[in-house]
Amino acid sequence: MDTPESPRTTTAVRDALTTLLVDAEDTDALDTLAGSEVLIPVPDDATDEDATDPGTVALPVLEQPGGRQTVPVFTSEGEMAELLPSVTRYRLVPLGALAAQWPADELSLTIDASSPHGLTLDSHGVRSRLARF
């Protein structure tokens, strides 16, 4: 079974991200991305119960310039370590399921923020393009 660290899965997801940078409406790339699993850093202030509860996921929120808030997720441990080297815990979550439960406010989602194939979607884009479940 492929994991976020397997070369085949990581390459397919990175290819999808790269494609979406050129064509944000590419349905094959969106389907690949929505069907992948992402690593969500567990916030430092999350309790062990919150970090392991299968019914909830604590979202780490980073403040961007201009006050915009985004949740960083990653396609691999290596991508996560580049931006957030101090993170010691994370949750592996299907991106399509996360998108289906995405808050309706102005919270953005950033995938692999520090990489050349990084992608940011606003809350509407997350729900309309990635929600699959």
Side-chain angles (χ1 to χ4, degrees):
M1 177 153 111
D2 291 336
T3 66
E5 289 294 322
S6 76
R8 187 172 28 151
T9 300
T10 301
T11 300
V13 172
R14 285 185 184 155
D15 288 349
L17 287 168
T18 301
T19 297
L20 291 170
L21 291 174
V22 175
D23 179 4
E25 301 300 322
D26 186 293
T27 56
D28 289 338
L30 288 168
D31 287 344
T32 296
L33 195 56
S36 68
E37 292 185 317
V38 293
L39 287 69
I40 302 176
V42 173
D44 290 337
D45 60 350
T47 66
D48 286 338
E49 182 179 330
D50 289 340
T52 58
D53 181 355
T56 62
V57 176
L59 298 176
V61 178
L62 301 178
E63 183 108 4
Q64 300 296 305
R68 191 182 76 192
Q69 294 184 320
T70 189
V71 173
V73 299
F74 303 91
T75 58
S76 70
E77 288 179 350
E79 292 289 346
M80 185 171 59
E82 264 194 54
L83 185 65
L84 303 171
S86 63
V87 169
T88 59
R89 302 183 298 171
Y90 63 84
R91 301 279 301 264
L92 188 60
V93 176
L95 185 54
L98 177 65
Q101 300 297 316
W102 199 254
D105 61 10
E106 292 304 314
L107 190 61
S108 298
L109 174 74
T110 301
I111 304 167
D112 289 349
S114 64
S115 75
H117 60 264
L119 178 69
T120 298
L121 296 170
D122 65 16
S123 60
H124 175 73
V126 172
R127 290 187 314 275
S128 65
R129 294 182 174 174
L130 298 177
R132 296 293 191 262
F133 303 100

